[in-house]
Amino acid sequence: MYQEFMDGKTTDYIKRIFEREGVKNWDGGTKWQSTTLMSMLENEKYKGDALLQKSYTVDFLTKKRIQNKGEIQMFYVEDDYDTIISKRILECIQLEIKRRKKYLEEHGTNYYSHQP
């Protein structure tokens, strides 16, 4: 998945490959979402790190949680897990994601395509 993305493929294209090849997702099914793949590309845990307190509980009675947008302090822990992908590759992925977002903004579009 990481190499396909770095080769210019979109998460939607990778999703179709996974579904066609029957790659199992987190619950054992073969249906994938592009947003799930993007989350996997962006997740620091795959390089062994952890960002703590991304979300927090605002009401203990209802157990309501919200995304932390700076309301409380977050903590970044390096080398907390075994790595699935090298830090260098995941950092390259992050740069590619930023590059694509900038491209979309500069060209006034919301669709990125790379034709092989």
Side-chain angles (χ1 to χ4, degrees):
M1 171 179 73
Y2 297 96
Q3 187 60 53
E4 292 286 338
F5 187 80
M6 289 304 294
D7 287 345
K9 306 296 187 304
T10 63
T11 53
D12 191 56
Y13 181 87
I14 297 167
K15 166 186 115 74
R16 285 183 268 135
I17 292 172
F18 278 16
E19 289 175 350
R20 184 173 51 242
E21 294 180 359
V23 176
K24 297 203 182 296
N25 63 20
W26 61 273
D27 70 353
T30 56
K31 181 84 173 137
W32 285 88
Q33 300 295 323
S34 297
T35 53
T36 301
L37 295 174
M38 184 55 76
S39 174
M40 291 170 68
L41 291 169
E42 294 175 327
N43 196 329
E44 73 282 345
K45 288 185 181 175
Y46 290 99
K47 67 177 181 176
D49 296 348
L51 180 59
L52 307 178
Q53 296 183 324
K54 289 183 193 177
S55 64
Y56 64 97
T57 305
V58 291
D59 186 343
F60 291 101
L61 294 175
T62 63
K63 298 180 175 132
K64 182 179 179 189
R65 297 185 62 81
I66 62 169
Q67 287 295 116
N68 182 4
K69 296 180 181 166
E71 296 89 354
I72 63 172
Q73 186 175 4
M74 289 188 260
F75 301 93
Y76 194 87
V77 181
E78 293 185 18
D79 302 319
D80 193 44
Y81 299 94
D82 290 335
T83 61
I84 294 172
I85 188 130
S86 78
K87 289 180 187 262
R88 187 179 139 275
I89 291 174
L90 201 60
E91 287 166 3
C92 289
I93 296 277
Q94 303 311 306
L95 291 172
E96 177 63 9
I97 290 169
K98 287 178 185 173
R99 186 195 70 76
R100 290 185 189 189
K101 284 181 182 176
K102 183 179 178 186
Y103 176 90
L104 295 176
E105 289 172 6
E106 288 175 353
H107 292 86
T109 184
N110 59 1
Y111 182 75
Y112 176 83
S113 176
H114 173 77
Q115 301 298 324

